[in-house]
């Protein structure tokens, strides 16, 4: 009796859980499906769940002159911004985690608060500075801005991960004769690799998906995927098949990244507030 | 064991020359962020008191508070403030409320839970322009959209959502992007809840509802604070979704502050007016930040 | 090998003084143990010697040379941490090799040294293992090995055995003592385990709140604690303390009346001036003799008997309500609620004045064998 009720309850939970999950995921699934339908199939009514898949839309996307360029722009911006942000963040996070002083807490919160500065608030000066320094519509310019905006987050994440490393291990390194540089490169970094990797990953994801600065600071030359996709919004460019194919290409790598690393991402994203 | 950690916590501060080399390592990051946060801020403030239009070089010089006056008396501006508030609050309510419920749901054991979870958090990894266009075209298009087809299938007339309810629709799209984030964080928090604590409550005879309100929710408070903080940062400047779906329209029905500033600056080239808007955006963000950072700081052990 | 000398060493954190002027000189090859209650500053003192913590004031000399401003590795020390602090990403061999590598020791020499140490510590079969794959005792050995290979002048240990279970701890204690005898290196060892301190030390340093209370060999501390704190701290089970008043005193003895009215004669000098003053009588549980006696008698009722096998602890309520612990041989036939009589051997009793300072005893060495 009780067992039956429990089983019934867990069936209801499973049903609700699955319905919600499918409903939330459906647009992504549909995008994936539509990308294989070809232009005609994509707008068929009623929408088709079963059809003969075709790569027609992908071919067309690849043929659009700027697709590859856009992808390389995105990669350049994401990797460039992430690497530079880490170069700045790792020493900063090390100092705060292992050599804390009276002002450490204040510094951390201040860094976080710079992230609170709304991009729109500084859109105008950034735009004008970029224009005057010829960084407008360049990969470098966008990468720089992305680096600035993500740095508070990378510092925080690294700080959180560094704090989990037992101090005596670093001290043992010091006792063994490691200087500060060796202590960081030979002891800390190998230990912090998973943390640094997930920080880099989050930074990559944020850069890859960043839309505000991409749309405002780039046009034909340095546009990343986020801006490229936006060009499908014009009414005359309303091709569901191509839109879906391009979107799938833009989203798939990050989605895969995210699925694989969700656990580490959470740990970093919560700034250690959730154990 | 705890004695060990507290001792090492104490000894975190290392010896020789700690202060100096610590400052040296911190300096580059602090410098870069300082430049990044101060220079544009000062410039925005400066421009906001100037007559400055990119296409009208004859117009220049000190404008006093004219830009502000002009902006504050502009009904579009008030509408955009209202829309910003609707967007932020609406999405926060949906994502935190829904996120908490879903976190509890996906904390339950059921067949294929792992897969279902991954599906739920997926939209978080989708870039804003893609999300917006997916919804605008594949889902909500009045003719070809799946939702429209479903409405027709049950005998209803499809609605042109983005025309009829632009703000609400944008809000739903943004909520779809951010609900997964809340689930991701809150689920982790729920799972970190001590099983013994739940069992103790069970033995005390607490029902599911009482357990939720007295055990789960208090436990989630710091995670919820983090979710609200991070989401607010992003929600205050939602831009891409509006740009590719409604372009702020019809009229200014779905223009938020971010989009207004963008249209003033980059469509109308009114640097002074846009900067005044920027200053107001910064003030608003700072008010929000003052509350949020403090709330979160309380939950952080630094 | 190396001497270590501390000259009015102090440590101040922000405003609080944690180490309040420690003077200590450690001979070459000596095994010195720091003991004291939690938070008394043992680790801080050790870490200052190691160079992991700045010395606020005072001088630290190793082999007569001031090393206050030298980096840890330049001081020629090695340290074994409580948590082992092995490098988790390196295997056992690499863990031991790291310091040698940093010191630019040639490859062949490194190998030779590591293999020798591994043999000594029976780690030969684990050289390829990562720390995560080792048991607690093995990790402890690797940590020790890592310290030994560098052939330091001074070994520092911070509660190295406290993470091990009781039997392993006993075993490692013996191994450490053996190792010390063989290597003959100067060693400073922090613990709050009595037994470790008593069995391993040449010299024990008792610390309290950043102050050295007493320095001496284990037996000196046991036989002649300088004050109440040391008397309480050294010995297990701890010394019994009974309040009393001096009623008569000679050059060598004092007669003390306890609260119960019993009068006890104690071998203690310099009590003549204390006649009528309140004092504390101390007697170790193992020195109280069960059975009838003519002098220094006491009686009471047994409340609890703890049988430890080789010994038994009787918790006896005396007539004045004071609780006394008596240690007897394990086979004793006494049960709870039994009335017992016992005696305090005059030469085994300690007397402390109202400030807690021990009254001088005539002879300081161990008494009757
Ligand atoms: N970095 C620090 N800042 C402030 N106070 C500290 C710091 N490090 C240690 N202390 C304080 O110094 C005192 C001595 O600490 P220490 O770790 O030396 O004690 P201990 O004798 O080793 O204790 P235990 O037996 O618990 O290990 C403690 O009160 C501790 O709180
Ligand atoms: Mg300690």
């Amino acid at each position: 009796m009780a067992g039956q009720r429990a089983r019934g309850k867990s069936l209801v939970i499973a049903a609700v859980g699955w319905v919600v999950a499918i409903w939330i995921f459906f647009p992504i699934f549909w995008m994936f499906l539509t990308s294989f339908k070809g232009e005609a199939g994509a707008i068929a009514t009623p929408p088709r769940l079963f059809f003969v898949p075709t790569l027609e839309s992908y071919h067309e996307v690849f043929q659009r002159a700027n697709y590859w360029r856009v992808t390389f722009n995105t990669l350049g911006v994401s990797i460039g911004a992430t690497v530079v942000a880490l170069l700045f963040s790792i020493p900063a996070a090390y100092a705060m985690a292992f050599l804390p002083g009276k002002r450490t807490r204040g510094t951390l919160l201040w860094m976080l608060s710079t992230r609170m500065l709304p991009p729109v608030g500084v859109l105008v000066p950034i735009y004008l500075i970029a224009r005057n320094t010829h960084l407008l519509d360049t990969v470098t310019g966008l990468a720089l801005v992305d680096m600035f905006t993500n740095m508070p987050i990378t510092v925080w994440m690294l700080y959180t991960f560094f704090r989990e490393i037992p101090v005596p291990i670093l001290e043992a390194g010091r006792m063994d004769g490691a200087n500060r540089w060796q202590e960081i490169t030979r002891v800390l970094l190998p230990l912090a690799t998973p943390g640094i990797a997930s920080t880099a990953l989050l930074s990559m994801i944020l850069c890859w998906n960043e839309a505000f600065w991409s749309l405002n600071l780039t046009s034909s030359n340095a546009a990343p995927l986020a801006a490229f996709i936006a060009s499908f919004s014009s009414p005359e460019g309303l091709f569901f098949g191509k839109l879906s194919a391009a979107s799938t290409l833009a989203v798939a790598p990050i989605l895969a990244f995210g699925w694989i690393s969700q656990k580490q991402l959470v740990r970093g994203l919560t700034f250690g507030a959730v154990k | 064991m705890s004695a060990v950690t507290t001792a090492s916590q104490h000894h975190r501060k290392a010896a020789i020359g700690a202060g100096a080399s610590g400052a040296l390592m911190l300096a580059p990051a602090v410098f870069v962020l300082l430049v990044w946060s101060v220079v544009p801020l000062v410039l925005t403030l400066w421009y906001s008191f100037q007559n400055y239009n990119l296409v009208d070089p004859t117009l220049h010089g000190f404008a006093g508070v004219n830009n502000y006056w002009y902006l504050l008396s502009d009904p579009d501006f008030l509408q955009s403030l209202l829309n910003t508030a609707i967007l932020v609050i609406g999405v926060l309510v949906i994502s935190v409320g829904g996120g908490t419920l879903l976190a509890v749901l996906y904390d339950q054991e059921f067949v294929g839970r792992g897969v279902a979870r991954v599906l739920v958090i997926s939209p978080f990894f989708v870039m804003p322009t893609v999300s917006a266009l997916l919804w605008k075209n594949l889902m909500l298009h009045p003719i070809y959209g799946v939702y429209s087809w479903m409405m027709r299938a049950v005998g209803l007339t499809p609605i042109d959502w983005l025309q009829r309810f632009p703000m609400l629709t944008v809000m739903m799209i943004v909520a779809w992007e951010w609900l997964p984030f809340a689930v991701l964080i809150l689920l982790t928090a729920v799972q970190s809840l001590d099983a013994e604590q739940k069992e103790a409550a069970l033995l005390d005879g607490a029902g599911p509802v009482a357990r939720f309100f007295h055990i789960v929710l208090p436990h989630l408070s710091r995670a919820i604070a983090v979710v609200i903080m991070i989401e607010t940062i992003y929600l205050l400047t939602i831009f891409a979704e509006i740009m590719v779906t409604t372009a702020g329209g019809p009229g200014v029905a779905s223009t938020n502050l971010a989009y207004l500033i963008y249209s003033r600056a980059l469509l109308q080239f009114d640097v002074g007016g846009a900067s005044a808007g920027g200053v107001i955006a910064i003030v608003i963000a700072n008010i929000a930040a003052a509350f949020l950072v403090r709330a979160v700081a309380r939950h952080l052990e630094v | 090998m190396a001497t270590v000398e501390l000259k009015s060493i102090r440590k101040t954190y922000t405003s609080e003084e944690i180490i309040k002027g420690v003077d200590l000189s450690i001979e070459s090859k000596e095994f010195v143990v720091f003991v004291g209650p939690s938070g008394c500053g043992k680790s801080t003192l050790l870490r200052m010697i190691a160079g992991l913590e700045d010395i606020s004031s005072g001088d630290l000399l190793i082999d007569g040379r001031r090393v206050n401003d030298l980096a840890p590795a330049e001081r020629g020390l090695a340290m074994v941490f409580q948590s082992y602090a092995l490098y988790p990403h390196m295997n056992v061999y690499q863990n031991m090799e790291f310091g040698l590598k940093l010191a630019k020791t040639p490859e062949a020499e490194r190998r030779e040294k590591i293999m020798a140490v591994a043999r000594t510590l029976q780690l030969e079969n684990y050289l390829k293992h990562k720390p995560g794959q080792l048991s607690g005792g093995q990790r402890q050995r690797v940590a020790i090995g890592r310290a030994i290979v560098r052939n330091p002048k001074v070994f520092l240990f911070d509660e190295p055995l406290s993470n091990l279970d009781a039997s392993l701890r006993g075993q490692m204690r013996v191994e450490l003592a053996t190792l010390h005898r063989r290597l003959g290196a100067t060693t400073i060892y922090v613990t709050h385990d009595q037994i470790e301190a008593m069995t391993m030390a040449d010299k024990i340093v008792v610390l309290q709140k950043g102050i050295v209370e007493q320095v001496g060999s284990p037996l000196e501390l046991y036989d002649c604690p300088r004050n109440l704190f040391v008397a309480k701290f050294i010995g297990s089970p701890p010394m019994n303390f009974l309040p009393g008043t001096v009623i008569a005193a000679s050059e060598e003895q004092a007669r003390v009346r306890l609260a119960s009215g019993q009068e006890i004669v104690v071998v203690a000098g310099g009590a003549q001036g204390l006649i009528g003053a309140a004092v504390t009588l101390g007697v170790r549980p193992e020195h109280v003799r069960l059975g009838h006696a003519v002098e220094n008698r006491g009686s009471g009722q047994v409340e609890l008997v703890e049988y430890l096998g080789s010994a038994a602890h009787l918790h006896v309520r005396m007539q004045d309500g004071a609780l006394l612990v008596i240690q007897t041989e394990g086979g004793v036939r006494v049960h709870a609620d039994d009335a017992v009589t016992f005696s305090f051997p005059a030469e085994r009793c300690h007397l402390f004045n109202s400030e807690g300072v021990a009254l001088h005893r005539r002879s300081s060495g161990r008494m009757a064998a």
Side-chain angles (χ1 to χ4, degrees), chain C residues 60-89:
Chain C
L60 173 65
L61 310 180
I62 295 180
D63 272 343
R65 177 162 162 244
R66 187 171 183 277
V67 296
N68 286 39
D69 303 319
L70 291 189
E74 294 163 4
R75 298 184 184 190
L77 321 149
M79 181 154 166
V80 175
F81 293 83
Q82 177 176 9
S83 54
Y84 318 133
L86 299 177
Y87 309 120
H89 57 295

Side-chain angles (χ1 to χ4, degrees), chain B residues 10-11, chain C residues 13 18 37-44 159 192:
Chain B
H10 272 308
H11 296 308
Chain C
Y13 283 121
I18 301 294
S38 192
C40 69
K42 306 179 294 285
S43 299
T44 307
E159 309 201 21
H192 46 230

Side-chain angles (χ1 to χ4, degrees), chain A residues 31-32 35 57-59 61-62 67-68 71 208 225 228-229 242-254, chain B residues 127 130:
Chain A
M31 162 189 86
F32 182 73
S35 74
S57 302
Y58 285 94
H59 278 301
V61 169
F62 288 141
Y67 172 74
W68 293 107
T71 303
W208 189 280
L225 281 163
F228 171 73
I229 300 288
K242 272 195 293 228
L243 167 66
S244 300
S247 298
T248 304
L249 289 170
V251 164
I254 292 303
Chain B
M127 58 176 66
V130 168

